[in-house]
Amino acid sequence: MAIEIPRELVESLRRARRVAVLTGAGVSAESGVPTFRDAQTGLWARFRPEELATPRAFRLDPRRVWEWYAWRRELVARAEPNAAHRALVAMEARQPEFTLITQNVDGLHTRAGSRNVIELHGNLHRTKCFDEDVAVSEWTDTGDVPPRCPRCGGLLRPDVVWFEENLPVEALARAMECSAACDVFLSVGTATVVYPAAELPLRARAGGARLVEINPSPTPISAQAHHVLRGPAGEVLPELLRAWTEHDPVLSPREDPPDARGDVT
Ligand code: NAD
């Protein structure tokens, strides 16, 4: 599929001092990690969120919730970062002020090599104490499911943000700040219906950023976006990276060596 990248967008990216990206489950779809809301393949087609991803669900049936997350952890451990994750790593390498804000809990951005990552919804691979809300990295395997906190004996849970829970304060504050201050904001593979993450693209736009949506399907922010690139992230992001960097004097020194440029001494 040929994806046309608008010239205006390429120019905005080349001029940008700060670029921010918000990613959602769609970015990991091509790695074989199911999204939540896609009708046929999304996890919510098979499970009810209120039975699995709320504090109430955990209190009611901690074993079921722990095992569901253990299954998702294993699924993700077998998955590999895809072309979308890799394109974002390459974008960060060429853009000094680049912030990747993710709602994903799979850790695939970091595994791919992204460095400045804000995890808004936690990480499947981390564990914390349900009662103390403190990270726990080691515990004794007594056969209990979920395992017990080595400090207080309470139940351990995945360190992810569930429905009805607040986002980590510092991560959200940084995400808000980066969104408001960026010149270009890419909203990639997210249904943009989960708040407050869904507010970030609109905050960026209100702050004067060029707003770009990359998603095969329309979302509530599509109408607000300056550019909508319809297609899978694993195809669109590499194409966007190519358009951004090709014939760019900074990245193509043989075409335009620095000492041949009028403004460089
Ligand atoms: P969502 O499931 O609500 O929406 C997924 C979006 O991705 C949809 O808009 C869909 O059209 C789009 N999409 C599907 N395939 C795509 C592709 N190949 N390329 C680009 N876009 C594609 O996901 P969301 O908006 O991220 O919902 C947020 C919640 O989902 C978060 O709380 C997040 O923690 C959780 N979640 C994370 C993972 C993960 O870590 N991989 C997986 C499932 C859900």
Side-chain angles (χ1 to χ4, degrees):
M1 184 184 56
I3 299 143
E4 191 158 334
I5 308 295
R7 185 78 224 155
E8 215 186 340
L9 169 56
V10 173
E11 279 161 12
S12 303
L13 281 167
R14 288 185 183 172
R15 271 198 313 268
R17 284 189 46 229
R18 300 191 181 98
V19 173
V21 183
L22 172 68
T23 64
V27 163
S28 295
E30 289 154 88
S31 293
V33 181
T35 63
F36 273 175
R37 293 180 180 79
D38 283 299
Q40 300 304 317
T41 53
L43 291 171
W44 292 160
R46 288 181 282 155
F47 304 97
R48 288 164 60 84
E50 62 274 21
E51 286 173 6
L52 290 162
T54 67
R56 212 165 347 132
F58 186 75
R59 276 192 206 96
L60 225 59
D61 195 344
R63 172 185 273 266
R64 180 161 189 258
V65 173
W66 179 269
E67 285 177 345
W68 189 65
Y69 278 94
W71 168 74
R72 286 183 61 199
R73 219 170 12 246
E74 279 165 28
L75 193 88
V76 161
R78 288 195 302 270
E80 292 296 331
N82 64 52
H85 298 106
R86 290 192 294 273
L88 290 168
V89 175
M91 287 180 185
E92 181 173 18
R94 79 165 321 253
Q95 178 69 33
E97 294 201 47
F98 185 91
T99 308
L100 177 44
I101 306 159
T102 189
Q103 298 164 90
N104 293 348
V105 294
D106 56 30
L108 286 176
H109 285 304
T110 309
R111 259 174 63 194
S114 285
R115 297 158 81 93
N116 190 19
V117 181
I118 301 177
E119 288 181 329
L120 281 183
H121 292 169
N123 191 309
L124 268 181
H125 304 288
R126 288 196 309 259
T127 300
K128 64 179 182 179
C129 173
F130 184 72
D131 293 330
E132 299 172 309
D133 198 27
V134 173
V136 174
S137 53
E138 283 179 13
W139 57 88
T140 312
D141 185 4
T142 55
D144 286 324
V145 182
R148 296 271 169 184
C149 172
R151 273 187 306 265
C152 75
L155 296 176
L156 295 183
R157 57 162 281 183
D159 189 0
V160 298
V161 177
W162 282 332
F163 292 97
E164 301 161 17
E165 291 186 317
N166 292 327
L167 273 65
V169 175
E170 199 253 345
L172 181 60
R174 274 178 60 217
M176 293 278 191
E177 208 175 289
C178 293
S179 302
C182 70
D183 304 301
V184 177
F185 187 98
L186 311 180
S187 178
V188 193
T190 169
T192 42
V193 292
V194 176
Y195 278 80
E199 204 180 302
L200 299 174
L202 304 178
R203 181 169 280 251
R205 197 194 149 115
R210 188 142 281 266
L211 176 58
V212 186
E213 177 174 78
I214 299 171
N215 198 313
S217 308
T219 77
I221 67 147
S222 302
Q224 317 266 347
H226 295 99
H227 304 284
V228 174
L229 305 178
R230 288 266 169 260
E235 292 177 26
V236 178
L237 282 174
E239 207 46 44
L240 184 60
L241 173 69
R242 193 191 53 71
W244 182 358
T245 54
E246 83 178 348
H247 309 308
D248 182 328
V250 177
L251 279 195
S252 311
R254 274 181 306 162
E255 286 168 27
D256 190 3
D259 56 3
R261 291 208 303 264
D263 58 345
V264 176
T265 54

